[in-house]
């Protein structure tokens, strides 16, 4: 097992990473000083696969355990569902000291986290992420939220968990689509901050895709550490955290113009390549690093060819993105593998040109 300790200012917490940790969750919760009731919030697919194992572990450690289940999917991340969960919690006499365990992907992590942040003004939250994206990204950093209509994450808070338990053995049942979503973020961490980690991924991407547990443990560990180090320097997302948006400005545009037929990881892959190509055009990134990025994305099973989407709609969607201001976009570029820079010099015209000349650069 590996541990990443996160120091966001107050309320420090640990991220535990390893195989077989779900069965130890009850003991870990007891070590936090929690007693009495424990409530697991999960979705029905994850519950079927891993609910009983977590429940047994909690009960064996003496917790009176309640499992609350929602259907899977982003559509469930609503204020109405948060309200329903609060009703369930209060019917079960959940108290201020009752821990909530969020067992699932980012949807459950965000929703259960939001409920934990607000029920009785805050109860202990334990994230038990079960997708690669949730283990390397959404369970770290304390952002919890629900969607509001079409507006993603519009109602939310910053609320740190007391503990994150990332059991890498549960990743084996993930569908390729959700593995890709996580892999795109993992590659992003290497590109923006860590050359050695990028090289590790170049050497191990096939093992990760084959769910080799040692490779997954190292990958989740390095990724969690990188995200933790970035967010603890910028807990409230006012500066440095911006580098985590590498690939996301164009990525969000692609997701939205494709009407979400192109998944998050796929869109971020294309977004990272666009950012790489822009960096190359501006003379910051060399051709061989750009090729390395493209090759790793390809080997990870992520797309590198621009889909047939209207550039005009894409640029429009990017202007609507919250990170956009009047013609110039706050863009995360790279000065080499492992070195992200925040730039205000990227114009929409330059993005348009890079998209038009897509096949020229690599
Ligand atoms: N809070 C943050 O900082 C942050 C960061 C990034 C993303 N997010 C949020 O995360 C959400 C996306 O998360 P996600 O990609 O994990 O999606 P998700 O939670 O919808 O999970 C994806 C699917 O995989 C299934 N699943 C989960 N674990 C599984 C397992 N081990 N085996 C088999 N199936 C499993 C789920 O039932 C679901 O159908 C979005 O709502 C996004 O806004 C939050
Ligand atoms: Zn992302």
């Amino acid at each position: 097992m590996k541990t990443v300790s996160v120091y966001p200012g107050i309320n420090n917490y640990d991220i535990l990473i390893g195989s077989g940790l779900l069965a130890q969750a009850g003991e870990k919760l007891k070590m936090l000083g929690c007693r009495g009731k424990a409530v697991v919030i999960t979705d029905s697919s994850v519950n079927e696969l891993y609910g009983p194992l977590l429940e047994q572990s909690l009960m064996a450690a003496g917790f009176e355990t309640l499992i609350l289940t929602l259907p899977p999917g982003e559509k469930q991340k609503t204020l109405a569902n948060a309200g329903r969960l609060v009703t369930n919690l209060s019917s079960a006499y959940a108290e201020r000291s009752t821990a909530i365990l969020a067992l699932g992907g980012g949807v459950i992590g965000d929703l259960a986290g939001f409920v934990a942040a607000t029920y009785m003004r805050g109860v202990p939250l334990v994230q038990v992420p079960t997708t690669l994206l949730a283990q390397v990204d959404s369970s770290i950093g304390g952002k919890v939220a629900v969607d509001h209509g079409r507006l993603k994450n519009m109602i939310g808070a910053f609320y740190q968990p007391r503990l994150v338990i990332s059991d890498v053995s549960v990743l084996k049942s993930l569908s390729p689509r959700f593995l890709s979503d996580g892999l795109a973020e993992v590659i992003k961490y290497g590109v923006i901050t860590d050359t050695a980690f990028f090289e590790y991924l170049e050497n191990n991407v096939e093992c990760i895709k084959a769910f080799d547990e040692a490779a997954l443990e190292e990958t989740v560990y390095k990724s969690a550490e990188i995200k933790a180090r970035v967010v603890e320097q910028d807990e409230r997302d006012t500066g440095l955290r911006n580098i985590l948006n590498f690939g996301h400005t164009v990525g969000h545009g692609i997701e939205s113009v494709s009407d979400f037929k192109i998944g998050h990881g796929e869109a971020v892959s294309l977004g990272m390549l666009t950012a790489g190509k822009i960096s190359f055009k501006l003379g910051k990134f060399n051709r061989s690093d750009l090729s390395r990025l493209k090759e790793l994305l390809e080997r990870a099973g992520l797309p590198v060819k621009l889909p047939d989407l209207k550039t005009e709609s894409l640029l429009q969607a990017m202007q609507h993105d919250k990170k956009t201001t009047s013609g110039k976009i706050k863009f995360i570029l790279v000065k080499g593998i492992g070195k992200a820079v925040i730039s205000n010099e990227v114009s929409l015209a330059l993005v348009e040109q890079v998209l038009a000349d897509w096949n020229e650069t690599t």
Side-chain angles (χ1 to χ4, degrees):
M1 184 185 81
K2 291 185 159 70
T3 304
V4 174
S5 297
V6 193
Y7 306 96
I10 47 165
N11 304 330
N12 302 343
Y13 62 95
D14 282 347
I15 303 169
L16 311 179
I17 301 144
S19 176
L21 290 180
L22 218 51
Q24 299 169 34
E27 284 306 318
K28 303 288 181 203
L29 194 60
K30 242 168 57 181
M31 281 160 66
L32 289 179
C34 295
R35 297 284 181 276
K37 295 189 179 75
V39 178
V40 178
I41 298 178
T42 187
D43 73 38
S44 50
S45 313
V46 176
N47 189 37
E48 203 166 301
L49 292 163
Y50 306 110
L53 188 57
L54 181 58
E55 188 178 26
Q56 269 167 27
S57 160
L58 292 168
M59 285 172 35
F63 288 96
E64 188 189 322
T65 308
L66 171 70
I67 300 199
L68 300 174
T69 310
L70 294 139
E74 179 74 28
K75 281 203 178 84
Q76 302 301 322
K77 221 175 92 175
T78 62
L79 200 53
N81 272 340
R84 280 182 203 111
L85 290 166
V86 165
T87 305
N88 292 328
L89 287 170
S90 89
S91 308
Y93 302 102
E95 297 152 5
R96 266 237 164 103
S97 58
T98 302
I100 290 184
L101 293 95
L103 173 71
V107 166
I108 289 296
D110 281 8
L111 172 63
F114 180 75
V115 170
T118 49
Y119 180 71
M120 297 180 102
R121 297 197 183 84
V123 296
L125 169 66
V126 175
Q127 293 280 5
V128 190
T130 62
T131 62
L132 183 59
L133 180 119
Q135 294 192 353
V136 301
D137 189 356
S138 59
S139 64
I140 310 157
K143 284 187 179 177
V144 296
V146 294
D147 300 334
H148 185 61
R150 287 178 64 86
L151 304 171
K152 266 184 68 87
N153 303 321
M154 247 323 139
I155 307 171
F158 286 95
Y159 191 68
Q160 305 299 339
R162 295 282 305 279
L163 181 69
V164 180
I165 301 174
S166 287
D167 184 339
V168 296
S169 69
V170 307
L171 300 176
K172 284 198 181 79
S173 48
L174 271 186
S175 68
R177 152 90 190 262
F178 292 113
L179 182 71
S180 296
D181 282 355
L183 271 178
E185 307 293 345
V186 165
I187 293 173
K188 176 189 80 178
Y189 293 130
V191 185
I192 61 174
T193 66
D194 194 328
T195 322
F197 183 45
F198 190 90
E199 278 165 19
Y200 174 84
L201 296 172
E202 289 181 312
N203 293 329
N204 291 280
V205 66
E206 278 77 24
C207 299
I208 298 168
K209 281 171 71 189
F211 300 103
D212 174 277
E213 284 187 355
L216 284 172
E217 186 173 309
E218 179 65 15
T219 300
V220 173
Y221 169 69
K222 283 304 294 180
S223 302
E225 183 159 80
I226 291 169
K227 178 150 186 196
R229 297 293 89 88
V230 172
V231 299
E232 68 194 11
Q233 290 175 61
D234 180 20
E235 196 203 340
R236 296 240 151 205
D237 197 3
T238 54
L240 182 68
R241 257 199 206 202
N242 277 317
I243 65 167
L244 300 173
N245 282 326
F246 180 67
H248 281 62
T249 308
V250 171
H252 285 149
I254 292 176
E255 267 185 287
S256 121
V257 173
S258 78
D259 211 12
F260 296 90
K261 286 188 188 71
I262 297 177
H264 184 71
E266 295 168 334
V268 168
S269 173
L270 295 163
M272 288 195 281
L273 214 44
T274 311
K277 285 169 188 275
I278 292 172
S279 308
F280 172 70
K281 278 243 153 115
L282 292 173
K284 295 182 193 297
F285 200 44
N286 66 39
R287 194 180 283 276
S288 91
D289 282 348
L290 187 55
S291 302
R292 279 176 75 189
L293 173 60
K294 183 184 171 199
E295 217 168 279
L296 182 58
L297 292 168
E298 244 175 339
R299 286 172 59 209
L302 290 160
V304 297
K305 286 202 175 74
L306 208 56
D308 194 13
L309 297 171
K310 262 193 162 165
T311 306
E312 208 183 296
S313 315
L314 192 58
L315 295 172
Q316 239 172 29
M318 281 168 50
Q319 270 176 305
H320 281 262
D321 197 271
K322 61 177 185 289
K323 286 120 203 154
T324 308
T325 43
S326 60
K328 295 264 176 179
I329 310 166
K330 185 184 275 182
F331 221 97
I332 313 307
L333 300 176
V334 266
K335 284 205 305 195
I337 302 274
K339 290 181 214 73
V341 281
I342 302 172
S343 164
N344 289 314
E345 56 179 309
V346 178
S347 64
L348 283 171
L350 178 58
V351 181
E352 189 174 6
Q353 194 194 342
V354 162
L355 295 174
D357 301 342
W358 188 263
N359 294 324
E360 269 179 27
T361 32
T362 48

